[in-house]
Amino acid sequence: MKSSLSKLSLCIPLFVACQAKAPLSFEIPKSLVESALVSPPNVSFSETSVTVSESAGSVAIGLRLSSPSPLTVRVPVIPNGNMTGLSEAVAEFAPGSTNTILNLPIPNNSSIDQSSPRNINLVIGLPQYANQGMPGSLELRIIDDERPMIRFQVLDQNVAENSGPITITAISDRPFSGPNSVNVGVQASGSAANQTDYTL
């Protein structure tokens, strides 16, 4: 009899402990979540155009939200163009954050057709829990590393009309080899007329 009472007294606290349940707690108040879903923030690019070298490997592109969100916001960024190797990426905003950086890999020569354009529009897709903002697209310009970059040595030069010919030097950033020559176009502007006041 004594031993059965001992067993019974041991079961009582266990029975009481099993009945007591802690109230559920939420990290994010339900009211905040409901209001966020009714009025989600806008998402947009933090710049309008980005130029990157083909050999850069990747490019960092900034996106922003119009207001912080209590929820994680995932935004698809879709390349609107026919460049091979550049696929959709997803930018993710942490709760409470209004800025994020999307790192996009830049394809190299092996995955870029030489006939394809080098300018791609990156478009904000249908964000999960966010509205599309303005601007909704960003122009990504990729410089082909196989083409030389040309600059002029003389940026400004004043000469008299009867001073004779002048020399402007065009400088390439690398040697160029191939069957065809590289032609650099030059345009003149002003009140003087070509073939009358000067010959270009």
Side-chain angles (χ1 to χ4, degrees), residues 99-160:
N99 293 279
T100 191
I101 298 294
L102 174 66
N103 287 301
L104 256 176
I106 299 300
N108 56 25
N109 283 330
S110 62
S111 59
I112 294 182
D113 183 3
Q114 295 299 323
S115 62
S116 63
R118 298 286 167 164
N119 291 4
I120 306 100
N121 282 329
L122 297 176
V123 181
I124 295 176
L126 296 175
Q128 181 186 53
Y129 176 61
N131 290 329
Q132 181 171 331
M134 293 297 291
S137 66
L138 174 143
E139 183 183 17
L140 177 61
R141 295 189 296 267
I142 299 180
I143 298 175
D144 187 353
D145 291 334
E146 293 181 348
R147 301 177 186 175
M149 300 295 291
I150 307 296
R151 65 182 177 87
F152 291 100
Q153 192 172 30
V154 178
L155 297 181
D156 188 13
Q157 184 172 348
N158 294 321
V159 292

Side-chain angles (χ1 to χ4, degrees), residues 36 38-45 63-67 73-78 80 93 121-138:
V38 171
S39 179
N42 292 333
V43 58
S44 61
F45 289 108
L63 291 94
R64 61 172 178 256
L65 289 179
S66 59
S67 60
V73 178
R74 293 179 180 88
V75 179
V77 177
I78 305 167
N80 185 11
F93 294 85
N121 282 329
L122 297 176
V123 181
I124 295 176
L126 296 175
Q128 181 186 53
Y129 176 61
N131 290 329
Q132 181 171 331
M134 293 297 291
S137 66
L138 174 143

